[in-house]
Amino acid sequence: MDKILIEGGRSLQGEIKISGAKNGALPIIAATLLCPGTHTIYNVPELRDIRTILQLLVTLGATWERIDKHTLKINSDNITEYEASYELVKTMRASVLVLGPLLSRLGRARVSLPGGCAIGARPIDFHMQGLQKLGAQIELEQGYVDAKVFGGLRGNTIYFDIPSVTGTENMLMAAVLAEGTTIIKNAAKEPEIANLIDMLSGMGAKIEGRDTDRLIVQGVKSLKPAEIAIIPDRIETGTLLIAVGAAGGDVTLTNCNPAHLPSLFEKLRNCGIYLEAGERSIRVIRSGPLKNIDIKTMPYPGFPTDLQAQIMALMTMTEGLSVIHENIFENRFMHVAELRRMGADIMVDGGKAIVKGLGKLDGAQVMATDLRASASLVIAGLAARGLTEISRVYHLDRGYDDLVGKLSAVGAKIWREPGK
Ligand code: EPU
């Protein structure tokens, strides 16, 4: 297994281009299952999760080609299969995103039930209840969700107890071809959902309420293939802003959308980090000491849970007490034990973490436990004195497009060593 090595303590200078959003691309790729034809998707990041969902689409009968490094063409003329196997779902939970489109297109979907994962139990009960409301019959058998619909899906009102990102996306994809009107109440409002709505609207779907928590879908009889560009990855953007904050330096991020990170901007500024937002760029400068901050993870536009591990690494470099309330996933503190190996003083009490910033970290051998925890360890390694060695970095490859190359280009001493 590959390792990442970092000689910390160097400030970062230069420019980094942000890639397309992983969580924007995954539902959009799944949406190509909805109708026959060739769809074109721009600004697709090069990631393991993207390769996984494409592999899943191929098992269902789709074909795809990369026109250039970041442009994908997907043809879904011959979708004949309806099963997402355990082998694929266990490597990527987002495989559940084929449930809605397959049910809509074929009237049948069989998707392995994802197990628990490193960050929490992550059930998919909202997805199943929502599809049942649209007329699907769902059975759980041998670890699979077996969904069938006779005579087509029918619009209905769906209410989510908690706004679910992929839940909202699955409902949208199921509702666009359903008969009548579907209303999704307490829908998630993440920018990736607006990206999917733009794709579906380009295909001919009728959806109102974009960017709000009340989505109204007027079912249409048919859809046509579409072209769409994936939005910039706000979590990659946030990760790099935090990295510069922790390591120090002066870096400009390009091809990003500053408007997608309102809560992070507020917190980083309170921490003493200078941010200058352009239309499609952000300049970040950190030269002085860091102040302690508190965060609470919330659905968008609140502070993203996907940046919680990274901001914890930054908190260890401040001087003072910082508190994190993790409100989305009950078990998302696996990085704490690894940060402690680097000298961090962190106490966990249920969903709360108290970080006593000591203004320094020491390099150590650490292990990545999930995607965002890996990014947190990279940030800690950049800020720490001495050598940090991160193992199990395959987690990082799932969701960051060439993080090592991008950080090297702004002066970090970071490299990858192939596993033996
Ligand atoms: N929930 C339920 N039942 C459901 C669905 C969700 O109880 O059927 C709960 C979850 O357990 C959680 C909350 O609702 O407490 C919100 O979860 P959500 O469904 O929004 O999460 P998700 O759709 O599975 C997406 C991202 C995650 C990100 C979360 C929260 C994708 C492909 N994944 O997951 O991304 O953390 O939203 O913002 O969009 C990552 O990229 O590292 C990642 C984990």
Side-chain angles (χ1 to χ4, degrees):
M1 272 184 269
D2 288 10
K3 286 178 179 166
I4 288 178
L5 289 107
I6 306 170
E7 278 272 349
R10 293 170 161 238
S11 75
L12 309 175
Q13 314 283 336
E15 201 175 287
I16 302 176
K17 188 174 174 204
I18 298 300
S19 299
K22 165 178 86 76
N23 292 346
L26 293 171
I28 282 176
I29 291 174
T32 64
L33 292 168
L34 279 165
C35 70
T38 301
H39 307 259
T40 308
I41 312 174
Y42 304 102
N43 201 33
V44 181
E46 275 200 283
L47 305 171
R48 193 153 63 89
D49 274 9
I50 301 296
R51 292 194 285 277
T52 306
I53 196 146
L54 288 171
Q55 200 184 336
L56 169 55
L57 256 66
V58 167
T59 67
L60 303 173
T63 58
W64 62 271
E65 56 175 327
R66 267 193 196 265
I67 300 305
D68 59 43
K69 207 161 180 270
H70 298 293
T71 307
L72 264 182
K73 278 197 184 285
I74 301 178
N75 180 283
S76 49
D77 281 341
N78 298 307
I79 304 303
T80 47
E81 302 298 320
Y82 52 79
E83 182 170 303
S85 71
Y86 177 62
E87 291 310 313
L88 285 169
V89 179
K90 79 172 185 214
T91 60
M92 190 187 67
R93 305 175 59 84
S95 307
V96 76
L97 283 166
V98 299
L99 198 51
L102 280 178
L103 206 51
S104 182
R105 171 97 180 254
L106 302 177
R108 184 84 200 265
R110 199 168 178 268
V111 174
S112 171
L113 197 60
C117 83
I119 63 176
R122 303 185 73 186
I124 57 162
D125 50 333
F126 299 165
H127 301 240
M128 294 191 286
Q129 285 159 13
L131 292 172
Q132 276 168 333
K133 277 221 150 177
L134 299 184
Q137 289 180 12
I138 297 186
E139 279 169 44
L140 285 180
E141 46 136 55
Q142 295 177 319
Y144 278 76
V145 178
D146 199 350
K148 297 177 191 145
V149 58
F150 302 100
L153 293 164
R154 285 175 303 281
N156 204 339
T157 297
I158 296 161
Y159 169 79
F160 285 125
D161 288 337
I162 309 171
S164 162
V165 175
T166 50
T168 302
E169 291 164 348
N170 247 336
M171 292 316 115
L172 282 169
M173 293 188 280
V176 284
L177 287 168
E179 196 189 315
T181 307
T182 299
I183 302 176
I184 309 171
K185 294 184 177 171
N186 203 21
K189 293 185 289 191
E190 270 66 5
E192 292 75 21
I193 291 172
N195 204 183
L196 174 65
I197 290 178
D198 290 344
M199 162 77 165
L200 295 170
S201 302
M203 292 169 77
K206 300 257 174 290
I207 304 169
E208 284 171 41
R210 183 183 184 277
D211 294 321
T212 76
D213 62 1
R214 192 169 186 274
L215 299 171
I216 304 169
V217 185
Q218 199 67 56
V220 294
K221 292 247 175 307
S222 63
L223 295 170
K224 58 181 193 315
E227 282 189 20
I228 186 89
I230 302 300
I231 57 170
D233 196 314
R234 66 194 164 97
I235 304 302
E236 184 196 23
T237 308
T239 300
L240 289 166
L241 293 176
I242 296 169
V244 179
D250 180 351
V251 171
T252 299
L253 306 182
T254 62
N255 195 37
C256 58
N257 189 340
H260 287 168
L261 287 160
S263 48
L264 180 69
F265 264 60
E266 177 79 13
K267 295 296 172 182
L268 292 184
R269 283 182 172 139
N270 291 346
C271 201
I273 296 167
Y274 174 80
L275 296 168
E276 193 181 290
E279 185 102 328
R280 305 275 298 162
S281 66
I282 307 170
R283 184 171 177 201
V284 49
I285 304 175
R286 205 276 285 174
S287 50
L290 292 165
K291 292 197 274 285
N292 56 319
I293 46 165
D294 296 336
I295 66 139
K296 291 185 169 67
T297 63
M298 300 290 257
Y300 189 84
F303 193 92
T305 175
D306 290 345
L307 288 174
Q308 179 260 106
Q310 298 90 315
I311 202 130
M312 186 185 282
L314 178 72
M315 287 169 169
T316 68
M317 295 299 290
T318 67
E319 277 161 31
L321 274 191
S322 297
V323 181
I324 296 181
H325 287 267
E326 173 52 64
N327 296 316
I328 309 293
F329 294 116
E330 69 280 10
N331 194 25
R332 207 171 198 180
F333 284 135
M334 302 275 278
H335 40 285
V336 169
E338 303 303 310
L339 290 172
R340 281 191 190 130
R341 291 181 54 74
M342 300 178 73
D345 184 340
I346 306 168
M347 209 182 76
V348 174
D349 177 11
K352 187 166 85 175
I354 300 163
V355 184
K356 186 172 169 202
L358 303 174
K360 65 180 177 67
L361 289 169
D362 292 319
Q365 287 177 308
V366 288
M367 201 170 74
T369 48
D370 72 69
L371 170 57
R372 307 303 171 187
S374 321
S376 154
L377 298 178
V378 169
I379 292 169
L382 293 170
R385 296 175 303 197
L387 184 70
T388 296
E389 189 180 310
I390 309 173
S391 56
R392 301 205 178 165
V393 293
Y394 53 85
H395 289 293
L396 201 71
D397 301 334
R398 286 192 39 209
Y400 287 93
D401 189 343
D402 193 23
L403 189 62
V404 169
K406 287 177 179 178
L407 287 168
S408 299
V410 293
K413 199 160 178 208
I414 178 168
W415 67 101
R416 203 168 164 124
E417 256 179 32
K420 297 183 183 73

